[in-house]
Amino acid sequence: MHYYVCLHQEGTNSIPKLIQKAHANNYNVVATSINANMLPLDPQETDPTYPATVLSAVEWISKLIFQVSDVDVDSPNAKFREYSKAMLMRDAIWAEHLQTNGNIMVRIRGPNNDNLAEIINSRSKGNWFINVPITNPELASFEHRRDATESEIEEAQQVDPWNWWNELRFAIKHNARTKVVVELSDSDRPSRECVRRWLGEPIEAIIIPSSLFVLNRSNYYVLQKEWQTIVGHFISMRANIIISTKINDKSIGQYSEYIKKLINDHGDTHKLNSYENMLEIPLQPLFDNLDSYTYEIFETDPVKYKLYQEAIQQVLLDRVSEAEAKRKLTVVMVLGAGRGPLVRAVFNAAEIAKRKVRVYIIEKNPSAIRTLSNMVKTLWSKKDVHIFSKDMRDFSPPELADVLVSELLGSFGDNELSPECLDGALKLLKPDGVSIPCKSTSYINPIMSAVLHNNVSQLTSTVPAFDSGYVVLLKNIYHIDEPQALFEFTHPNRAAIIDNTRHKKLSFTAQKDCVLHGIGGYFDTVLYKNIILGINPLTHTPGMFSWFPMFFPTQPLTIKAGDTISIEFWRRVDAEKVWYEWRVCEPKESELHNPGGMGYNMRL
């Protein structure tokens, strides 16, 4: 993603000159009053004192954010309210004319924004950037006070600017063309939880007033460390930067240079960034054969196969003593070998451990078999290795395995049917045999993400979008509470009656007022003994990217700080498929999502 750094100045008498000054000081965009160069006008007067031709069409679209007239369309004063509404409509029409989809920034001042919502709803064009202070100094003072009473905190929350935005958001029906511009203030720093909550919002940019910059020992303008951290969090969430200065400020070049350094420090440039907040239907490798591109992505993970190799090595050392090493053979079956990374891990582990192995490769994908067969001939021709084009559940082995190795886990642990596959492969394993992995656990937590909600909503015209689970690289989210363990599966499962259905109800507590948009899904797995990998946010394996989390959407529900959020989850199984059902039970009971697997299921 390319960030923009925007110069915001009021009082300019020439938009072209402001753009030139901004460009000379390394700013991409300017934000200024839509009425720059304009004489005081009657709101019914529609002719500005500057024509559209002062800039080219491309310049209007790419270089300007318009700040509308400083009026209050929800003022209690009826006369001023009507004047303000007329002014805002005039500004919106002019911005749309100049920019096709006008970038209009409007400030909200309090909790009552019904008229603003009505105007936004009436416009079919334009991007609305809602300028909201990051916190209210009155509220912030209570958040930092340990002796504040509940009634004091509750009263302060009435002036929490996030609540102003949230009420507007619901009034405009979660309009995807409306985003937030969060304004920082030198009057008080927001709490950590306040910042985290804003990160779950559709943030267009943050405004940094020039008063936040201080001179360092080198006589260079920088942000204090606490503000660096806060700004860094927003940059990591792809927020653009607007620097607000006085018209005669001589240090604007230093501000932009410093901010671009922060962007370089905090802007994640991982090659998978293009997947951020993108909803993907989970893979079904049991039913569908994966393509080579998908295999290649998995194989580039620098961590996963290293951990698998460590687990295999430890198993070999535990099962074969040093004295037995030259004569005892360990039979390893790789179930679902793909293009061979687990096979390589087995051979590497055996070489390091100095243990003898016989490897059986079982793969049902005929296209992958072609690649594996070539590897057997060219890379492993001197190895004790045997390849079978079979579904592991239907395979009749020439001998039983000491170790089963598989990577059948999905983003939610069991969502690619690892329990059903490994239960079906139990007949391949010796009575004292080992499975790698030996246990998987799924986790869930309530999350707020306006971006993900909008992405799901855009699918509703074609599919039952709120009845599906999605794999998604979670970016613009707020974790309302920490994840908790949901379902657990162990392997090998030697129970007399195998039942892979599950049901559980979990309760979470909201730390701040927020909106529940859905449920985050994660997993971790024990490969062997203490060798664990996973994507639980609390214990995520560093550097591993093979799995993105899952997202199970719900209809938006406003949550108050201290509320209990109860979530009920099922894993259901029938003869043809496996599916999840979920619903919110508290603070308000929601509909049951995905009943009968109508929107999303895993085919057996």
Side-chain angles (χ1 to χ4, degrees), residues 334-346:
V334 179
L335 308 178
R339 302 196 314 179
L342 286 180
V343 181
R344 284 192 291 274
V346 173

Side-chain angles (χ1 to χ4, degrees), residues 395-539:
F395 178 52
S396 297
E399 61 183 317
L400 296 182
D402 296 288
V403 186
L404 298 180
V405 182
S406 64
E407 52 173 331
L408 306 168
L409 296 167
S411 297
F412 203 41
D414 59 273
N415 66 293
E416 292 184 10
L417 304 184
S418 58
E420 285 71 23
C421 291
L422 293 177
D423 290 345
L426 182 62
K427 64 181 184 293
L428 309 178
L429 190 64
K430 291 177 181 177
D432 67 339
V434 173
S435 172
I436 298 176
C438 61
K439 184 174 81 168
S440 69
T441 306
S442 57
Y443 298 82
I444 60 170
N445 72 326
I447 61 177
M448 178 176 87
S449 177
V451 174
L452 290 182
H453 171 75
N454 287 335
N455 290 349
V456 173
S457 298
Q458 289 172 12
L459 300 175
T460 53
S461 61
T462 55
V463 294
F466 283 88
D467 290 309
S468 184
Y470 302 93
V471 172
V472 58
L473 177 53
L474 300 176
K475 195 65 178 178
N476 292 92
I477 64 164
Y478 169 55
H479 292 284
I480 298 172
D481 199 359
E482 294 180 346
Q484 296 181 32
L486 184 65
F487 302 145
E488 183 180 293
F489 294 89
T490 58
H491 308 291
N493 181 2
R494 301 188 187 277
I497 299 175
I498 291 178
D499 181 6
N500 288 324
T501 63
R502 297 286 190 275
H503 170 241
K504 199 168 189 178
K505 185 176 180 180
L506 294 173
S507 293
F508 304 85
T509 303
Q511 307 304 309
K512 289 187 75 67
D513 293 359
C514 57
V515 174
L516 173 64
H517 286 120
I519 302 161
Y522 324 91
F523 83 97
D524 64 25
T525 183
V526 179
L527 296 179
Y528 182 69
K529 290 187 173 178
N530 64 343
I531 301 174
I532 299 170
L533 59 79
I535 60 169
N536 180 344
L538 297 175
T539 56

Side-chain angles (χ1 to χ4, degrees), residues 162 166 169-170 174 201 445-450 453 466 478-481 508 510 512-520 551-560 563-567 582-588 590 593:
W162 179 87
N166 189 46
R169 176 229 309 275
F170 276 85
H174 308 272
E201 296 296 0
N445 72 326
I447 61 177
M448 178 176 87
S449 177
H453 171 75
F466 283 88
Y478 169 55
H479 292 284
I480 298 172
D481 199 359
F508 304 85
K512 289 187 75 67
D513 293 359
C514 57
V515 174
L516 173 64
H517 286 120
I519 302 161
F551 177 65
F552 300 93
T554 61
Q555 293 295 340
L557 178 63
T558 297
I559 305 292
K560 305 301 286 185
D563 276 356
T564 295
I565 303 169
S566 292
I567 297 171
W582 63 94
R583 72 175 174 193
V584 177
C585 305
E586 290 183 90
K588 179 182 177 183
S590 75
H593 291 268

Side-chain angles (χ1 to χ4, degrees), residues 15-16 19-20 50-64 66 94-95 97-100:
I15 291 177
I19 291 174
Q20 289 172 4
Y50 63 93
T53 51
V54 298
L55 295 176
S56 69
V58 171
E59 288 174 317
W60 283 121
I61 292 168
S62 64
K63 297 186 181 298
L64 261 294
F66 284 127
W94 182 234
H97 171 74
L98 294 175
Q99 296 187 315
T100 309

